[in-house]
Amino acid sequence: MRFFRPLLLAKLFYPDAVFRIRTSEKILYLTFDDGPDPGSTPLILEILEQKNAKAVFFCSGKAAEAYPALVETIRKQGHMVGNHCYDHLNGWRTSNDRYCNEVDRASVFTSDRIFRPPYGRMKQQQYRLLRRKYKIFMWDLMSYDYDRNFGAQRTLNAVKSKMRPGSVIVFHDKPSSSSFLMLRDFLEFSAARGYRFDIPAF
């Protein structure tokens, strides 16, 4: 079963995290996880530039360390870089010390202000420790662009039907993602309905 929106339990576990940004305006917040990657990041940036859309790229520290020029390009084009842990750890399966250290390690190459936990999974103690340093950024809408069994058309249909003002939408910055096949169509569809794409103001 696919859950496009976070379960209520997640909001209870992480009460100060950002799931959706309150606004009465037609604004969507695009996010791309797991990059940067030379096989995907330039293509995403090209589409975003053509459609005058801004996004948050939650980069793994390991990838950001390997491709610093891509991280710099993301920033130069007016996007935001976020922290996605150094090595994409599952917090539920990782000790608190190791997990927090990996996030801090990634901050050198990504961000020391904004963090999205891989898989959306953190233990309560990890959350309490990390929220002292970082704004925890979750999501309002998961696109499932990483799921090959779901497919680009179903991903496109899902985000079209479920988006709403203030939605934080998760796509993925990697060559295996279907986002390249539907991102342009989604941006055009949303813009035609009066939406714009921005980065959060914090």
Side-chain angles (χ1 to χ4, degrees):
M1 182 178 293
R2 297 178 178 89
F3 297 100
F4 295 94
R5 299 202 193 280
L7 299 177
L8 177 60
L9 197 60
K11 296 181 180 182
L12 295 175
F13 279 172
Y14 315 126
D16 295 322
V18 176
F19 289 87
R20 180 185 176 196
I21 295 177
R22 291 180 180 272
T23 180
S24 58
E25 299 181 71
K26 285 190 169 183
I27 306 175
L28 298 173
Y29 297 89
L30 305 176
T31 66
F32 293 87
D33 288 3
D34 299 348
D37 188 294
S40 56
T41 307
L43 298 175
I44 293 171
L45 291 174
E46 181 180 356
I47 294 171
L48 294 176
E49 184 174 25
Q50 290 172 353
K51 300 302 176 183
N52 194 31
K54 300 303 179 186
V56 183
F57 286 75
F58 284 97
C59 298
S60 80
K62 186 175 183 178
E65 183 180 16
Y67 303 111
L70 286 178
V71 176
E72 184 62 21
T73 299
I74 290 169
R75 291 193 170 109
K76 282 183 176 179
Q77 293 191 9
H79 307 289
M80 181 180 286
V81 173
N83 187 330
H84 200 44
C85 200
Y86 187 83
D87 207 18
H88 209 270
L89 296 177
N90 182 335
W92 293 355
R93 299 177 180 176
T94 309
S95 71
N96 295 339
D97 284 348
R98 184 187 175 202
Y99 191 77
C100 292
N101 287 339
E102 286 272 310
V103 175
D104 287 341
R105 181 183 180 192
S107 71
V108 176
F109 308 103
T110 59
S111 172
D112 61 2
R113 297 190 303 124
I114 181 172
F115 170 66
R116 171 175 283 162
Y119 314 103
R121 296 174 182 172
M122 290 178 292
K123 297 173 186 173
Q124 283 287 288
Q125 182 64 13
Q126 293 165 354
Y127 168 71
R128 285 192 290 267
L129 290 169
L130 291 170
R131 67 186 287 271
R132 298 174 185 172
K133 300 180 181 180
Y134 304 92
K135 190 71 175 178
I136 308 298
F137 211 80
M138 302 295 274
W139 60 83
D140 178 57
L141 179 55
M142 177 61 68
S143 71
Y144 286 97
D145 62 329
Y146 62 86
D147 186 343
R148 294 183 179 181
N149 293 322
F150 196 55
Q153 188 58 52
R154 291 173 72 188
T155 291
L156 178 60
N157 293 342
V159 292
K160 279 181 176 180
S161 65
K162 297 179 185 301
M163 69 180 191
R164 54 187 178 175
S167 280
V168 176
I169 306 174
V170 178
F171 295 107
H172 288 80
D173 180 5
K174 52 188 178 182
S176 60
S177 167
S178 68
S179 60
F180 314 111
L181 302 176
M182 50 70 61
L183 181 60
R184 191 186 307 275
D185 287 344
F186 174 63
L187 297 180
E188 291 175 351
F189 172 88
S190 304
R193 282 151 183 79
Y195 281 91
R196 69 180 192 270
F197 312 92
D198 210 344
I199 56 176
F202 54 78

